[in-house]
Amino acid sequence: MGMVPDLLERLSEDLEVLSLHTRAYLDEFGTLLCYLEGGRGGGTTLLHAPYAEALPVLQALNGLAFRGRVLLALDPSPLSPTLEGLPLTGPTRAPLEHLLRRHRPDRLLLAFPGRGLGRGFPGGKETEEGWRPLGAEGEPLHLRVRSPTGLVYPERRAYPAWESPPLPVDLPEAEGPYLGGVGRALGVPTYGVGLVDLKPSLEALFRLF
């Protein structure tokens, strides 16, 4: 549990720096949020990325032209401890669902390891033996996660399949992030965007938005 105050301190330091340049704050789950304003029109794009990837994501956004607003959400949940003592292997559902319900963006982009555009996920679960298809044997892990702010919430490591319509962009397609089903369930147009060559991928997508 000792890492939670350390993580909160790091988030608070980054918040102080970002607040010098843009409107930023920490929410109840410890997600670091930054508002970036673009040209007129275009609506709001929620760009969700792991906090550990903050620097390359911010570098990709630097100087990027877009319309509307980008709400950058840097999610620390993969670094958060669980009360069961098991490490998390990726982001959790509750912080993202909270963001979507509160901010109601026009679209969701989920940064994921890899390259290009993620349009779907076949469904999967994390068991004691590792990640498996949803229909495979083994119960998904039921965890209690302690956020950097001290909030404890449940996480059932089972994630449904999801798929979004194709987009007219010249980007390679890959399996999307498992959390995309959160956005789809709430009716938010959802796509994954790979962290490899992130800037040109964002440029291609923002030309559509």
Side-chain angles (χ1 to χ4, degrees), residues 78-101:
L79 302 176
S80 299
T82 66
L83 300 192
E84 291 75 15
L86 298 172
L88 286 166
T89 57
T92 55
R93 180 186 290 107
L96 176 59
E97 185 173 3
H98 173 76
L99 287 172
L100 292 170
R101 291 187 182 278

Side-chain angles (χ1 to χ4, degrees), residues 130-195:
W131 282 90
R132 293 185 169 184
L134 270 182
E137 292 185 0
E139 284 296 312
L141 294 173
H142 292 258
L143 302 174
R144 290 166 296 166
V145 183
R146 185 182 296 276
S147 73
T149 58
L151 178 67
V152 176
Y153 60 90
E155 177 76 1
R156 183 175 181 267
R157 299 292 278 175
Y159 306 93
W162 65 274
E163 184 175 5
S164 291
L167 293 175
V169 291
D170 186 19
L171 293 174
E173 290 193 6
E175 182 178 292
Y178 58 83
L179 283 186
V182 178
R184 296 292 290 167
L186 294 174
V188 181
T190 299
Y191 293 90
V193 59
L195 287 164

Side-chain angles (χ1 to χ4, degrees), residues 4-121:
V4 177
D6 295 339
L7 182 53
L8 182 58
E9 183 177 349
R10 287 165 51 195
L11 286 161
S12 298
E13 290 172 353
D14 287 342
L15 172 62
E16 186 175 349
V17 173
L18 288 170
S19 294
L20 298 174
H21 305 282
T22 185
R23 182 180 163 203
Y25 75 99
L26 287 176
D27 75 0
E28 295 91 325
F29 288 87
T31 304
L32 180 54
L33 293 153
C34 310
Y35 291 90
L36 306 173
E37 299 289 345
R40 297 179 63 179
T44 298
T45 299
L46 175 60
L47 174 57
H48 182 274
Y51 170 65
E53 301 292 341
L55 185 57
V57 172
L58 288 167
Q59 289 173 336
L61 287 168
N62 185 37
L64 199 64
F66 59 90
R67 293 178 298 165
R69 167 186 287 181
V70 171
L71 176 56
L72 173 61
L74 297 170
D75 175 20
S77 67
L79 302 176
S80 299
T82 66
L83 300 192
E84 291 75 15
L86 298 172
L88 286 166
T89 57
T92 55
R93 180 186 290 107
L96 176 59
E97 185 173 3
H98 173 76
L99 287 172
L100 292 170
R101 291 187 182 278
R102 169 169 287 184
H103 298 282
R104 301 186 180 277
D106 296 285
R107 63 195 67 88
L108 168 65
L109 294 179
L110 292 165
F112 69 95
R115 186 190 306 271
L117 182 70
R119 285 206 305 116
F121 174 72

